[in-house]
Amino acid sequence: MNNTATPIPAPLKRRLAALLYESLLLGAVTAVAGLAAGVVATALHNFPLLARMAVSLLMLGAWWWYCKSNWRKKGQTLPMKVWRIQLRNQHGQVPPLPQLRLRFMWACLFLVLIPALAYLALRSAHIAPQTAAAAALFWWILPWGCALLNPQRQFLYAYLAGTILADQPKQNSQ
């Protein structure tokens, strides 16, 4: 890929397919982190607030480790490689660590924190669980739905971080 040209975004359908595959891998990362979090929560059972914070930090740490370790090498996770997608900045390069952190923080905000807060706020207002879950689902889908409004079809957290899920050029086999 030309490192001076703005990368061409991968088609939205391919990015969504990679995202579905990615959710399976992140589910596995979450399950492994959940085992460690369970041990920590059990050890801190006399300190419930500390236990919740430790569990949250373990989950975020595991997700960040997975994303950073994959994005830093070639700008790809396994699903991105399968679907020929690369994470790039506006200059066509693998984004530097601060930009990767920004992308991760925006994604966590929009995909974890806001939906969770929406659900908790609605439940504390005595809204039925199904209605609260539907509202939280709306907030969870919103960052991806914004791609329909963005001219380059970028997800909201990618756009805010200045990253692009770019089309990976096909390699010539010789």
Side-chain angles (χ1 to χ4, degrees):
M1 176 175 279
N2 185 349
N3 286 344
T4 59
T6 302
I8 299 168
L12 185 58
K13 286 181 183 179
R14 242 179 42 227
R15 286 186 284 132
L16 289 171
L19 185 63
L20 183 61
Y21 185 1
E22 196 77 69
S23 69
L24 296 173
L25 293 181
L26 277 171
V29 169
T30 302
V32 172
L35 291 172
V39 170
V40 169
T42 302
L44 296 172
H45 74 279
N46 290 330
F47 308 97
L49 181 60
L50 186 58
R52 284 188 207 121
M53 287 176 52
V55 166
S56 297
L57 289 175
L58 275 168
M59 289 299 174
L60 286 172
W63 296 336
W64 170 241
W65 168 81
Y66 169 79
C67 292
K68 182 185 80 160
S69 63
N70 284 289
W71 291 342
R72 289 276 306 220
K73 292 177 185 172
K74 294 183 180 179
Q76 292 177 301
T77 59
L78 177 61
M80 293 165 76
K81 186 174 184 170
V82 168
W83 288 97
R84 297 183 342 271
I85 297 170
Q86 295 176 315
L87 181 62
R88 295 291 181 240
N89 64 15
Q90 301 292 345
H91 306 291
Q93 301 165 333
V94 174
L97 189 58
Q99 196 171 21
L100 294 177
R101 274 192 213 107
L102 188 60
R103 177 186 170 84
F104 181 79
M105 289 187 309
W106 279 120
C108 286
L109 176 72
F110 287 117
L111 300 175
V112 179
L113 187 61
I114 291 175
L117 289 175
Y119 180 81
L120 292 173
L122 291 171
R123 287 299 294 137
S124 68
H126 306 292
I127 303 295
Q130 296 85 355
T131 305
L137 182 63
F138 167 79
W139 287 107
W140 185 69
I141 292 172
L142 183 67
W144 299 310
C146 284
L148 300 175
L149 304 175
N150 183 287
Q152 291 188 324
R153 301 288 188 242
Q154 291 298 303
F155 300 138
L156 183 58
Y157 50 88
Y159 173 77
L160 291 172
T163 59
I164 296 171
L165 291 173
D167 213 3
Q168 179 181 1
K170 292 183 181 179
Q171 302 293 327
N172 294 336
S173 41
Q174 296 180 355

